[in-house]
Each structure stands twice: as structure tokens, then as C-alpha cells.
């Protein structure tokens, strides 16, 4: 049960090639619930990959100070870690599918973690419905 609430390094998108695929626009889809936007794409999964991989992006244009950007990134990673089961349950029915997610912060202000979590839950529910 405790393993469901982890966010290991295998679950993070680090490959520039994968990031380019995600943002190139071809078959990726986007959803927004303010202050968050998610861009996602599905692909074929190999045996050693997790079913979902994610990344977080906070623009320097909105927050000049790294402290604030890092706070938002921590909030996003934590809310995803706690609520990723909403996505993994529908994905378990499709064992050969992998989901790549990119969470993008759109607001110019900081929000409390509860508000960020509500936006995250809404986005994850909407993605799960479309799978």
C-alpha cells in the first residue's frame, strides 16, 4: 500500500527526446483547470517502464525568484504523488499503454496546496475518463 504513494526517478520524464515528442503537438492532448494545465500523450509501454511518467514546468516569466518556482514544483509533485492512483486504476486495464504527463503552471500568483490539489484531482479525473 505504501508503494502506491511514491514518486521514484523512473516516474519522471528526463529525456529531451520524450519532452520534444510531448510538446511537438502531433498526437498530444491538453487540458486546463486554472492554475494548472496538463499536456499528455500515450504510447507503447515496455516491460520495465512504469505506467505513467510526469514532469513539472513553472515559467521564469511568472516567478523570477527560484524559491517560488521551487515551491510550486514541490506542491505539484506532492499532489500528483498523493493522487496518481486516480490515473493508475484506469491504466491498469491497459497494461501495454504508458501515459506521459507534463504539468504546467499558468498563474502569476502562489496558491495554497489545497487549491492546487483540487485542480490536480480534477485534471486526473478528466484524463482518466478519456483513457
Amino acid at each position: 500500500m505504501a508503494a502506491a504513494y511514491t514518486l521514484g526517478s523512473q516516474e519522471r520524464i528526463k529525456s529531451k527526446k520524450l519532452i520534444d515528442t510531448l510538446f511537438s503537438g502531433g498526437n498530444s492532448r491538453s487540458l486546463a483547470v486554472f492554475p494548472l494545465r496538463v499536456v499528455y500523450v500515450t504510447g507503447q509501454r515496455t516491460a520495465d517502464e512504469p505506467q505513467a511518467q510526469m514532469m513539472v514546468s513553472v515559467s521564469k516569466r511568472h516567478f523570477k525568484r527560484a524559491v517560488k518556482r521551487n515551491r510550486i514544483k514541490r506542491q505539484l509533485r506532492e499532489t500528483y504523488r498523493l493522487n496518481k492512483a486516480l490515473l493508475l486504476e484506469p491504466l491498469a486495464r491497459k497494461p501495454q499503454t504508458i501515459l506521459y504527463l507534463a504539468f504546467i503552471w499558468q498563474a502569476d500568483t502562489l496558491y495554497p496546496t489545497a487549491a492546487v490539489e483540487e485542480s490536480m484531482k480534477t485534471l486526473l479525473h478528466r484524463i482518466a475518463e478519456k483513457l
Side-chain angles (χ1 to χ4, degrees):
M1 186 76 171
Y5 292 111
T6 60
L7 186 62
S9 65
Q10 305 87 2
E11 296 180 71
R12 308 251 180 113
I13 297 175
K14 300 177 203 129
S15 166
K16 175 139 177 55
K17 191 173 168 183
L18 208 78
I19 293 169
D20 289 341
T21 303
L22 194 58
F23 288 107
S24 65
N27 55 357
S28 61
R29 294 181 210 100
S30 176
L31 296 171
V33 174
F34 197 77
L36 279 177
R37 181 174 155 238
V38 64
V39 177
Y40 66 98
V41 66
T42 57
Q44 288 292 352
R45 179 176 174 237
T46 60
D48 59 341
E49 288 182 313
Q51 281 214 279
Q53 291 184 342
M54 61 90 71
M55 66 170 282
V56 174
S57 175
V58 180
S59 175
K60 201 176 201 181
R61 181 182 0 157
H62 296 304
F63 296 101
K64 302 291 185 209
R65 304 280 179 182
V67 173
K68 291 182 179 182
R69 288 195 306 273
N70 291 341
R71 176 181 181 250
I72 293 168
K73 288 189 240 181
R74 274 195 314 273
Q75 282 180 322
L76 292 175
R77 285 192 303 263
E78 182 68 7
T79 56
Y80 175 77
R81 181 185 70 84
L82 293 174
N83 297 297
K84 71 179 178 179
L86 299 172
L87 265 184
L88 295 180
E89 290 171 7
L91 275 174
R93 291 184 226 125
K94 300 178 180 182
Q96 296 302 318
T97 303
I98 186 167
L99 181 67
Y100 300 107
L101 302 156
F103 294 100
I104 303 164
W105 188 261
Q106 293 183 315
D108 291 338
T109 58
L110 298 173
Y111 281 85
T113 304
V116 174
E117 187 167 12
E118 285 303 312
S119 296
M120 179 71 72
K121 282 181 183 179
T122 305
L123 282 173
L124 294 179
H125 277 297
R126 288 173 61 186
I127 293 170
E129 288 173 2
K130 293 182 187 272
L131 290 177

